[in-house]
Each structure stands twice: as structure tokens, then as C-alpha cells.
């Protein structure tokens, strides 16, 4: 099967798709990003091992297959690029796709040039392609690693935006290489030409699809199916038409069409998105396996120490630098910044576009440039996918960036104050607010906010109530708070549901319905009474979350089981102590000879940093 002709091409393609689907299923089963299985499958089927797929397997069809596949993948990614979601994303996201992208592009280009001795244009072609992290590798990671919403939003948006921009910039540099253009003005003109043609063609296709989907009778019985097929055909037409007018303008066209169509209201949008997602998975599986199979290990080895230096610079120098610079001043913790730094694998766009370009470079006699391009891109992909995507869960656990989720319904002053205190303790807080002005205020303060009615089951579900441990109803309307509490308890069953009672007369009614309630009026009166009667304690309580803290944690440390408070106390960090112990529902201030047992709930009080250290001491996991 070393040279599969036309008779062998169909079963070969079918076999690759079959292996790709199995890889996707295994990825879901073992909670590992699918790209790991796809690359492994491709290498196994390739000439280095089983020799099922060889460079001659597809004849002259590979360039067309890869080109159309890239069109579908880019369109699907652009279709999910929602302008509203960009507004919701943290401020750091904008820096990641601008300043961060420039740092990655320039830094990678410099590394390739000096480490491998590649020409400047080839070096920056590699740099442009390796800007892209891509949703095809980021999305599977975020499914496996439930990080804080702001971290997921930043990585997801970065992947979608950079996929598109990296492809367009790479196209311009590639065209400049083939045309021998080096003058900066000529490069800008070339960029404007390709981008302009792509935007115009993409806009025409998007406008046509919008009109047809909205105003043309697509046959009621088969309308959803016809809508899906029309959209798929539109993506391919946009790519082919733009590419016919100007070589490599097709990527800009499908990106434009996808963005425009994805941000307008069209019928059957959910069906189209699901269909496009399935098609993209099939195409992705095929392309990744086929390209990995065609990877020549000799090309990778020829890079030598220079290749290792490039990978190290890209993954361990440039990535952390651009993340820490972009996330500076935002609400990301140091652990979250390191997670974003260490989890930025490259994916299908660099792989497929690099292969597409390499084919044409070799046809133009630029074999050395093609080898550097493919070798460097695939080496970075292999290393980042294996170590960053494959170990993403372990990295997240080590950095402790998988927090519990807390939903706070009501983004007013009370909700935001509570969210700030919880977020400062490392909780994954999501605010739900219906008032657009309040939503904007909360987002400007760095909170993750879900816009919608918190008393709507679908809104609660989309905000993550299914994975929430705590739901807090903190609006200024008692009726809304009661309804939210009942919905959360009956539909999602979080560990705790807490409601704010604005009218103290409603507290008893709330509690009769099983809702744990805090009366703002009574709480204010108690705080004032504490200040009058216990001013020192009141002042200290006011500092909780800043200099002081109180935390309740389950004791799981086996080394503490069977030991007394008197024995354990001196081993706690200076500046904190065990104030309460809860066992079997009973809570008490422990005496010195109180013996600790596995599963005891221990309340630790003291200085903030000392309390955090003590938590890890009694609950190492």
C-alpha cells in the first residue's frame, strides 16, 4: 500500500476517518485532548512505522484536500467568534490577541533565524504560523480542565482570533516569498490586496447566505438540512472564489464569511453550528492524521540543537512573557498566569497551512525553506501537544487553578462585594445580572458576568449551575431571591444555597421553605452591635479577606489523625489557630486534649497567609 492509486484512495480515506473518529471517542473516554490521539495515530500509520500512508498515497490531491479542509476549519472557528463574547472576555484577552500575538510573531521569527540560520522571510513565516494556538486544541483542554471562567474565556478567545489572524499573516508572507517581495511597502500592499479580496468575497458570500436563510423558502420539511448544506457550500465557495481571484486569499474570505454570519441572527443557527462542528471534527481528524503520517522524522532530526532551542524559546520564554505582560493588572492569580503560560499548544492551522505551503515551496524549488518550515512547525506542535495538552490536567492540579464554582445572582453592590471577597480567596465566581448597565459596571471591575435573568432555569444552566457548589441569591428583590433559591435547589442540587432577605419579615418564610437566609437589615444591626460591644473583634472581622481570614476545611491529613489539639497547635503556622471543630453535625471550641479524627471540619482563624498555609497542612489534597 506504499503507493495507493485511485483504487486505494477511497478505502484509505475511509480508514483515516475511521481512526480519527475512534481517536475522538478515546479522547472523550480518557479525558485527554483528542489531538494527542490524532497525532499518535498519524505517526503510527505513517512511513516511519506501519507505512499505510506515504507521501505518494494522495498523489496530487493532497494540496486540494488540505486547502478545503483548512477552509472548513477556519470558517467553523470564525463562526463561533462572537463579538458579545469578546466584550465579556477579560481585558487581558485583547492584549493576548494584539500585544501577545506581536511578541510571539517577532520572537519566534528571531529565534528561527538565529537558531536555524533560516532566511528572514521564512523565519517570520514560521513565526506567523506559530502565533496560532487554536480552538481545536484549546477547547478539548478546557473540557478536561474546568478552570476559572476568566481563564477559559481568555484562552478560548485567543485561540479563535489568533487562528484567523495567523493564517492571514502567514498567507501574505508566503506570497511575498514566492513573489520575491522584500520591500516593506510592497508587503503592506500585498497584505491589503489579499485581505481586501478576502473580505469582499467573504462579505458577499455571507450576505447571500443571510438573505437565502432568512427570506427564501427552503422547504419546511427539509429546511434545517438545507440550511446546513447551504452554509457548508457557502464556506467552500468563499474559499474557492477568493483563491481563484488571488492565490491564498481564500482563508481571509472564509474567516470573514464565518465572522459575519456568526454574529447575525439566522434561522437554524444551532443546527448549523452542530453540523459544522461534526464536519470539522471529521476534517480535523483526517487532516491531522494525514499530516502527522507524512511527517519525516529525518526532517525533525536535521533541525538538531537549533530546533530544540526554538521550541524552548517558543514554549518557555515567549509564551510566559506574553501571558504575564498581557494579564498584568487583571484579576488573574499567579498560578493562573503560569497555567496559561504552560498550556498554549499549537494545532491544526499551523500544521495544515505549513504542509500546504511546503508543497508549493518544493514545487518552486525552495526545498530547504520547505523543510525548515514543516520541521520547525511540527516539532513545536509535537512537543507542545504532548507536554502541554497531554499534561494540562496535571499542570492545573499542581498550580491549583481548578476552583469550585460559586454563582452569585445579582451584580449590584452586595453581589459584587461578596464576589470580590470570594474571588480574593481563589473561588471561581460567576455573577448573573439582567441589567445591562450593572453588567458593564461589574465587567469593568474585572468580574466574570453572565447576562440574563437569574430566575430562568436556562440562564442558570448556561452560567454553570450544574457544576456549582454554592448558589447565592443576592438581588434586591426578595421574590426573585426566593425563586432562584428554589430553582437552584430543585434543578441543580448544589452543596449550599443562600438567599438575601431585604425585608426582615420575610426571613421566617424563607427558612420555612428550607432556604438558608441572611437578612441585610439584621446583619447590619448585628455588625453595629458588635462594634459597640466588641470593637476589637469587629475591627478584625472587617479585615477578613485582606489581612485576616477565617476558613473551614475538612481534615484529610493522615499524620494528624489521633493527635490532640495541644500536639497539633505548635505545628500550625505562626499567626493562626484552630477555633472550632465540627464532627457529626456538632460544632464546639476544642479543648487542648480534643483528639482529631479523619473528616473533622476544622475552622482556622488568623492572619490571611497563615490561614492559607494551615489549610494545606490539614488538607494536603
Amino acid at each position: 500500500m506504499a503507493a495507493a492509486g485511485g483504487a486505494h484512495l477511497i478505502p484509505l480515506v475511509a480508514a483515516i476517518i475511521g481512526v480519527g473518529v475512534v481517536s475522538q471517542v478515546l479522547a472523550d473516554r480518557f479525558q485527554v485532548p483528542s489531538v494527542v490521539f490524532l497525532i499518535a495515530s498519524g505517526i503510527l500509520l505513517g512511513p516511519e512505522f506501519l507505512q499505510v500512508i506515504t507521501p505518494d498515497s494522495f498523489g496530487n490531491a493532497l494540496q486540494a484536500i488540505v486547502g478545503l479542509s483548512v477552509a472548513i476549519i477556519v470558517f467553523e472557528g470564525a463562526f463561533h467568534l462572537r463579538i458579545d463574547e469578546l466584550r465579556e472576555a477579560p481585558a487581558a484577552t485583547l492584549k493576548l490577541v494584539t500585544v501577545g500575538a506581536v511578541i510571539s510573531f517577532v520572537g519566534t521569527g528571531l529565534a528561527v533565524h538565529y537558531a536555524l540560520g533560516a532566511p528572514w522571510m521564512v523565519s517570520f513565516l514560521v513565526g506567523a504560523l506559530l502565533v496560532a494556538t487554536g480552538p481545536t486544541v484549546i477547547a478539548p483542554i478546557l473540557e478536561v480542565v474546568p478552570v476559572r471562567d476568566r481563564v477559559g474565556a481568555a484562552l478560548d478567545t485567543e485561540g479563535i482570533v489568533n487562528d484567523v489572524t495567523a493564517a492571514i499573516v502567514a498567507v501574505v508572507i508566503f506570497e511575498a516569498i514566492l513573489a520575491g517581495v522584500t520591500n516593506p511597502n510592497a508587503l503592506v500592499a500585498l497584505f491589503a490586496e489579499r485581505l481586501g479580496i478576502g473580505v469582499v468575497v467573504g462579505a458577499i458570500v455571507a450576505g447571500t447566505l443571510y438573505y437565502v436563510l432568512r427570506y427564501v423558502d427552503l422547504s419546511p420539511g427539509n429546511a434545517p438540512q438545507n440550511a446546513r448544506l447551504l452554509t457548508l457550500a457557502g464556506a467552500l465557495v468563499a474559499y474557492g472564489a477568493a483563491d481563484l481571484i488571488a492565490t491564498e486569499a481564500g482563508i481571509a474570505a472564509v474567516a470573514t464569511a464565518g465572522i459575519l454570519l456568526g454574529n447575525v441572527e439566522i434561522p437554524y443557527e444551532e443546527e448549523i453550528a452542530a453540523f459544522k462542528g461534526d464536519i470539522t471534527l471529521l476534517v480535523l481528524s483526517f487532516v491531522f492524521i494525514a499530516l502527522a503520517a507524512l511527517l519525516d522524522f529525518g526532517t525533525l532530526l536535521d533541525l538538531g540543537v537549533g530546533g530544540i532551542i526554538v521550541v524552548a524559546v517558543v514554549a518557555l520564554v515567549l509564551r510566559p512573557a506574553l501571558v504575564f505582560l498581557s494579564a498584568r493588572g487583571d484579576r488573574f492569580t499567579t498560578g493562573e498566569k503560569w497555567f496559561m503560560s504552560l498550556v498554549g499548544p499549537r494545532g491544526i492551522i499551523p500544521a495544515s497551512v505549513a504542509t500546504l505551503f511546503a508543497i508549493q515551496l518544493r514545487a518552486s524549488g525552495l526545498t530547504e525553506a520547505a523543510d525548515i518550515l514543516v520541521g520547525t512547525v511540527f516539532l513545536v506542535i509535537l512537543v507542545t501537544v504532548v507536554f502541554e495538552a497531554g499534561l494540562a490536567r496535571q499542570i492545573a492540579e499542581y498550580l491549583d487553578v481548578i476552583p469550585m464554582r460559586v454563582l452569585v445572582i445579582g451584580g449590584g453592590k452586595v453581589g459584587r462585594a461578596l464576589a470580590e471577597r470570594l474571588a480574593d480567596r481563589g473561588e471561581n465566581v460567576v455573577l448573573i445580572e439582567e441589567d445591562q448597565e450593572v453588567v458593564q459596571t461589574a465587567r469593568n471591575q474585572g468580574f466574570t458576568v453572565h447576562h440574563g435573568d437569574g430566575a430562568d432555569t436556562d440562564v442558570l444552566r448556561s452560567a454553570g449551575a450544574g457544576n456549582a457548589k454554592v448558589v447565592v441569591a443576592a438581588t434586591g428583590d426578595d421574590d426573585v431571591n426566593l425563586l432562584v433559591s428554589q430553582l437552584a435547589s430543585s434543578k441543580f442540587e448544589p452543596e449550599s444555597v443562600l438567599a438575601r432577605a431585604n425585608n426582615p419579615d420575610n426571613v421566617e418564610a424563607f427558612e420555612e421553605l428550607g432556604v438558608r437566609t441572611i437578612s441585610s437589615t439584621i446583619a447590619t444591626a448585628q455588625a453595629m452591635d458588635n462594634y459597640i460591644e466588641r470593637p476589637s473583634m469587629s475591627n478584625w472581622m472587617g479585615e477578613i479577606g485582606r489581612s485576616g481570614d477565617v476558613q473551614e476545611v475538612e481534615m484529610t491529613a493522615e499524620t494528624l489523625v489521633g493527635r490532640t489539639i495541644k500536639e497539633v497547635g505548635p505545628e500550625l503556622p505562626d499567626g493562626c489557630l484552630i477555633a472550632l471543630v465540627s464532627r457529626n453535625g456538632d460544632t464546639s471550641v476544642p479543648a487542648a486534649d480534643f483528639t482529631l479524627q479523619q473528616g473533622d471540619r476544622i475552622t482556622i482563624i488568623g492572619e490571611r497567609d497563615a490561614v492559607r498555609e494551615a489549610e494545606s497542612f490539614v488538607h494536603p489534597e
Side-chain angles (χ1 to χ4, degrees):
M1 207 166 172
H8 294 150
L9 186 57
I10 292 177
L12 180 62
V13 171
I16 293 174
I17 292 177
V19 171
V21 171
V22 171
S23 297
Q24 298 283 355
V25 173
L26 289 174
D28 289 338
R29 171 65 179 82
F30 294 104
Q31 293 291 282
V32 175
S34 58
V35 67
V36 175
F37 287 99
L38 294 175
I39 287 182
S41 300
I43 293 174
L44 185 64
L45 294 173
E48 302 290 341
F49 290 95
L50 299 180
Q51 299 184 7
V52 174
I53 307 172
T54 70
D56 298 323
S57 295
F58 302 99
N60 296 324
L62 183 61
Q63 182 175 339
I65 292 173
V66 173
L68 292 175
S69 300
V70 170
I72 293 173
I73 293 166
V74 171
F75 181 88
E76 207 261 343
F79 187 77
H80 287 91
L81 183 59
R82 298 291 192 268
I83 302 302
D84 290 341
E85 291 180 4
L86 287 177
R87 294 195 187 103
E88 290 183 21
T93 305
L94 179 60
K95 298 176 186 175
L96 279 174
V97 300
T98 52
V99 176
V102 171
I103 292 173
S104 177
F105 170 58
V106 175
T108 304
L110 291 172
V112 173
H113 176 73
Y114 288 109
L116 297 174
W120 281 114
M121 293 298 286
V122 174
S123 299
F124 284 115
L125 177 59
V126 175
L129 288 175
L130 292 180
V131 166
T133 50
T136 54
V137 286
I138 293 298
I141 292 174
L142 296 179
E143 290 177 3
V144 175
V145 186
V147 292
R148 192 187 303 269
D149 282 15
R150 62 185 177 222
V151 176
L155 288 174
D156 207 16
T157 306
E158 179 198 19
I160 293 172
V161 174
N162 282 355
D163 239 13
V164 175
T165 54
I168 294 174
V169 173
V171 163
V172 172
I173 297 176
F174 175 71
E175 283 297 307
I177 292 174
L178 291 184
V181 176
T182 57
N183 184 278
N185 293 331
L187 284 174
V188 172
L190 190 63
F191 177 82
E193 178 189 16
R194 292 301 188 273
L195 182 60
I197 291 172
V199 168
V200 170
V201 172
I204 292 173
V205 170
T208 303
L209 285 174
Y210 175 78
Y211 177 83
V212 171
L213 292 172
R214 286 295 300 267
Y215 302 110
V216 176
D217 184 4
L218 298 178
S219 179
N222 296 316
Q225 176 183 325
N226 292 335
R228 295 193 297 265
L229 294 176
L230 279 170
T231 305
L232 175 61
L236 298 178
V237 167
Y239 178 81
D243 204 58
L244 181 64
I245 298 171
T247 309
E248 309 304 338
I251 292 178
V254 292
T256 301
I259 292 172
L260 293 177
L261 205 61
N263 283 279
V264 296
E265 292 186 8
I266 56 174
Y268 317 111
E269 183 175 348
E270 292 185 4
E271 291 91 339
I272 291 172
F275 175 69
K276 292 286 294 176
D278 291 340
I279 292 293
T280 300
L281 280 179
L282 288 177
V283 171
L284 175 67
S285 300
F286 175 83
V287 173
F288 238 130
I289 291 175
L291 298 185
L294 298 178
L295 181 62
D296 184 356
F297 278 22
T299 302
L300 297 183
L301 294 175
D302 288 342
L303 296 176
V305 177
I308 297 174
I309 292 174
V310 170
V311 173
V313 169
V314 169
L316 301 179
V317 178
L318 294 177
R319 181 67 185 175
L322 69 88
V323 167
F324 274 81
L325 182 62
S326 299
R328 184 182 179 185
D330 218 313
R331 288 180 172 271
F332 294 98
T333 65
T334 301
E336 289 169 347
K337 292 175 186 176
W338 275 115
F339 175 78
M340 294 166 66
S341 299
L342 297 175
V343 180
R346 274 53 175 183
I348 190 62
I349 289 298
S352 54
V353 176
T355 304
L356 193 64
F357 290 169
I359 293 171
Q360 297 181 55
L361 287 173
R362 289 193 176 99
S364 301
L366 301 173
T367 303
E368 184 179 355
D371 289 343
I372 292 176
L373 172 63
V374 172
T376 308
V377 168
F378 267 93
L379 185 61
V380 172
I381 290 173
L382 284 172
V383 173
T384 56
V385 163
V386 170
F387 290 101
E388 296 184 0
L391 299 176
R393 180 83 189 193
Q394 289 76 9
I395 293 172
E397 290 173 348
Y398 178 79
L399 295 172
D400 193 23
V401 295
I402 307 179
M404 63 176 285
R405 172 167 294 197
V406 178
L407 291 189
V408 177
I409 291 79
K413 293 180 180 179
V414 173
R416 296 200 302 274
L418 175 61
E420 183 173 10
R421 297 171 78 91
L422 293 172
D424 285 342
R425 290 209 302 268
E427 308 291 3
N428 182 15
V429 185
V430 178
L431 288 168
I432 300 178
E433 175 58 51
E434 190 171 15
D435 188 309
Q436 187 61 58
E437 186 175 342
V438 176
V439 168
Q440 195 58 49
T441 299
R443 285 177 181 162
N444 290 340
Q445 293 177 3
F447 296 106
T448 299
V449 188
H450 191 90
H451 181 221
D453 181 3
D456 186 316
T457 304
D458 291 335
V459 171
L460 288 173
R461 181 179 291 107
S462 62
N467 297 321
K469 290 188 177 181
V470 179
V471 175
V472 181
T475 75
D477 188 324
D478 285 356
D479 291 335
V480 171
N481 291 341
L482 180 59
L483 179 57
V484 167
S485 302
Q486 291 177 317
L487 280 175
S489 299
S490 61
K491 299 290 185 180
F492 304 104
E493 300 181 354
E495 291 182 6
S496 302
V497 177
L498 186 65
R500 167 190 175 187
N502 299 279
N503 185 343
D505 295 337
N506 292 333
V507 173
E508 185 176 349
F510 274 40
E511 293 181 342
E512 286 179 356
L513 294 172
V515 177
R516 298 181 65 180
T517 310
I518 300 294
S519 168
S520 53
T521 302
I522 296 175
T524 301
Q526 288 176 338
M528 290 180 173
D529 181 44
N530 284 335
Y531 188 77
I532 294 170
E533 296 294 328
R534 295 166 286 277
S536 297
M537 174 62 75
S538 181
N539 288 334
W540 185 85
M541 290 292 290
E543 288 297 311
I544 290 179
R546 292 189 288 273
S547 61
D549 204 356
V550 179
Q551 289 292 327
E552 180 180 319
V553 62
E554 180 182 357
M555 194 195 77
T556 60
E558 295 182 1
T559 55
L560 302 183
V561 175
R563 300 178 64 188
T564 65
I565 295 293
K566 182 179 181 180
E567 295 171 332
V568 173
E571 298 180 15
L572 292 174
D574 293 337
C576 71
L577 54 83
I578 296 175
L580 299 170
V581 177
S582 178
R583 180 184 298 166
N584 300 325
D586 296 327
T587 302
S588 62
V589 177
D593 59 354
F594 184 93
T595 303
L596 295 171
Q597 295 181 6
Q598 189 82 15
D600 283 347
R601 302 286 302 182
I602 296 176
T603 299
I604 305 170
I605 185 171
E607 297 176 1
R608 181 181 179 183
D609 292 339
V611 170
R612 298 289 175 83
E613 189 177 341
E615 282 186 276
S616 299
F617 177 66
V618 301
H619 185 70
E621 293 82 6

